Amino acid sequence: MDPVWIAVAFVLGFLVKQVGLPPLIGFLVAGFVLNGLGVESDETLELVADMGIYLLLFSIGLKLRVRSLLRPEIWATATIHMAMTVVLFGALVFGLAAAGLSLFAGLDLTACLVIAFAASFSSTVFAVKVLEEKGESDSRHGRIAIGILIVQDLLAVLFLTASAGEAPSPWAFALIGLLLVKPLLFMVLDRSGHGELLVLLGWLLPIAGAALFSGVGLKADLGALIIGVLLSTHPKAEELSKALLSFKDLFLVGFFLTIGLSGLPSAAGIGIAAVFIVVLPIKVGLFYLLLTRFRLRPRTATVTSLTLANYSEFGLIVGAVGAKEGWISAEWLVILAIALSVSFVLASPLNLRAQDLYERVRTRLTRFGTDRLLPEDEEVMPLAAEIAVVGMGRVGTAAYEEFARRSDRDLIALDFDEKVVQRHREAGRNVVFGDATNVDFWERLERRGLIKIVTLAIGSQAAILDIVKRARGWGYDGIIAATARHRDEVEELQAAGVDCALDFRAEAGTGLAERAYEAFEALPDSMQQG
């Protein structure tokens, strides 16, 4: 792996970021540029790409609640959507093959179904990156999207196992014993502290899980995911995920480079990739229809569908198996890679502007919704509150307690994580499920006109800016306070319309100094002077 590759990836990622697109698009372009210059992928880059995927799936596992996969809006949507996509896309490919068009000529029914199956997946890597950048990983639509993707990934594992023509090793059944090892893993995680040992453990576990599953004939990626799931109920699971965040992002650069380095298509291949892009809205529309049939709000269904509006890296893996078995030609891998890359390019701005898109077509979309929604997808906005805290992590909880101590005004807090809401309710706090990025939320809030102070204590700068834009756009003229992680972000928030923006790291130092000085002044005079 040449350092020049890293430099090219940085330059193109940097340029793409300047026009408001995710850097991952620049990394994909870098792969194609390097490919055009005659560069070929090597073992080191492949290893880096694999590590990025392992860390990604391990992080997903740390946040996954297995029980959520059993919900119909997740497992049924994923399986029905995949079946419908395979039938529709398979029929399209078979029809083009029957017409004798270019690379379609000569494809039999098996080949057509393999190509359609490869096109039915949505990208886990893309969805997780986009949700993290928008601070929506724990949102209702974020968890539904990730759940659907995990079900898709499990179906891919079944396909890969079946296509190998041999069953996994009998030792695969011994993996059930991992449940017995879970207490030991918890103990090790407890005693690893909060520094370099925790980070090292975060590297070791997904690699060990991948090696273990690979050794018994199962997919290595699945092993990294399952180890993460085993640890998901540990109190330090979130801390471990955050500790690995930068490493995961760095190694995923290798994954995006390998896509671009997989090859350059012919003119006919580019035309076929364009066909896949043209029919991509069919995938999105099917997701929307299925999600609304399972009683999700049009807004939740829309944002979830846009998160899944792409092709997947797993499609490349399925295509590689098809090429290895002789079902399709190797050029189809390049076609799928081009379609994947272009879908990323198109889906990125769509996801960044998902709320605005929903607002524009909201009236038409609601006609496809259902009157009876899932209870957990209904938002409750109290009528009497005058102060609202959005986001009940550590910062939000501290803000809530300070408001409660200083004022007798009615106080409410919102969070889009049901588990967080339940925990705070059990602690006696007035917390409800709600999503401040929802345009409907601000419309109702402005109509009621009661809340005078809104404090935004969420971790994503992009999400805060989106909320502020939405709030001011609906005419909310109350006080908006927000946290930032860096000094330059404070200025950006103030320019967007935030009345009180604070760098919470700097404020933590100020608060610590104030507490220390208060403690000093409480000492007897003799001790203060002596």
Side-chain angles (χ1 to χ4, degrees), residues 209-398:
L212 186 60
F213 273 60
S214 179
V216 296
L218 293 174
K219 201 166 184 300
D221 299 352
L222 182 63
L225 174 68
I226 294 300
I227 295 297
V229 172
L230 284 177
L231 298 176
S232 62
T233 56
H234 193 281
K236 291 175 72 173
E238 183 177 356
E239 180 184 354
L240 181 59
S241 178
K242 290 180 178 179
L244 296 175
L245 182 61
S246 296
F247 293 103
K248 177 189 68 180
D249 290 344
L250 178 62
F251 279 80
L252 280 175
V253 174
F255 168 77
F256 292 115
L257 286 176
T258 58
I259 293 178
L261 289 170
S262 61
L264 293 175
S266 62
I270 293 176
I272 295 173
V275 172
F276 277 94
I277 296 301
V278 169
V279 299
L280 183 58
I282 296 177
K283 281 184 64 174
V284 183
L286 287 176
F287 273 125
Y288 180 83
L289 289 174
L290 288 170
L291 290 169
T292 50
R293 292 317 93 194
F294 285 107
R295 297 163 50 200
L296 293 183
R297 284 184 299 136
R299 185 253 181 190
T300 304
T302 299
V303 181
T304 303
S305 300
L306 289 175
T307 304
L308 302 171
N310 49 69
Y311 294 110
S312 171
E313 58 280 357
F314 270 113
L316 296 180
I317 296 173
V318 169
V321 171
K324 181 179 178 181
E325 297 295 328
W327 297 329
I328 59 176
S329 66
E331 188 165 0
W332 276 100
L333 286 179
V334 181
I335 294 171
L336 291 172
I338 291 290
L340 167 70
S341 303
V342 176
S343 73
F344 281 12
V345 172
L346 296 177
S348 293
L350 286 177
N351 277 275
L352 292 175
R353 298 172 176 83
Q355 307 292 347
D356 294 327
L357 290 173
Y358 170 71
E359 190 172 352
R360 290 179 183 178
V361 296
R362 175 169 52 160
T363 303
R364 279 174 282 180
L365 287 176
T366 51
R367 288 183 293 182
F368 296 95
T370 58
D371 295 330
R372 188 170 166 226
L373 300 175
L374 292 174
E376 57 271 30
D377 207 35
E378 293 180 347
E379 288 193 282
V380 178
M381 185 61 214
L383 297 174
E386 295 180 85
I387 302 174
V389 177
V390 179
M392 284 298 284
R394 287 180 294 179
V395 175
T397 303

Side-chain angles (χ1 to χ4, degrees), residues 81-82 85-86 89 115-122 152 283 287 311:
H81 182 277
M82 180 166 284
T85 303
V86 170
F89 281 33
I115 293 170
F117 185 57
S120 68
F121 293 91
S122 296
Q152 287 187 348
K283 281 184 64 174
F287 273 125
Y311 294 110

Side-chain angles (χ1 to χ4, degrees), residues 123-206:
S123 174
T124 303
V125 176
F126 177 88
V128 171
K129 288 290 296 175
V130 167
L131 290 170
E132 285 179 347
E133 289 176 3
K134 296 196 297 180
E136 297 175 1
S137 298
D138 294 322
S139 67
R140 172 83 172 138
H141 64 267
R143 289 197 303 275
I144 291 174
I146 294 300
I148 290 173
L149 289 165
I150 290 174
V151 174
Q152 287 187 348
D153 293 350
L154 293 175
L155 292 173
V157 171
L158 292 176
F159 169 81
L160 295 174
T161 302
S163 64
E166 55 186 47
S169 165
W171 286 103
F173 293 102
L175 293 174
I176 299 175
L178 287 172
L179 295 173
L180 302 177
V181 182
K182 183 176 178 179
L184 176 61
L185 294 176
F186 273 40
M187 183 191 70
V188 173
L189 188 53
D190 281 330
R191 299 188 178 186
S192 294
H194 305 279
E196 61 273 16
L197 275 179
L198 182 67
V199 175
L200 191 59
L201 181 65
W203 275 74
L204 175 63
L205 289 175

Side-chain angles (χ1 to χ4, degrees), residues 462-477:
I464 293 176
L465 290 171
D466 184 64
I467 292 171
V468 174
K469 173 187 174 184
R470 213 158 299 288
R472 296 308 189 198
W474 275 107
Y476 177 72
D477 57 1

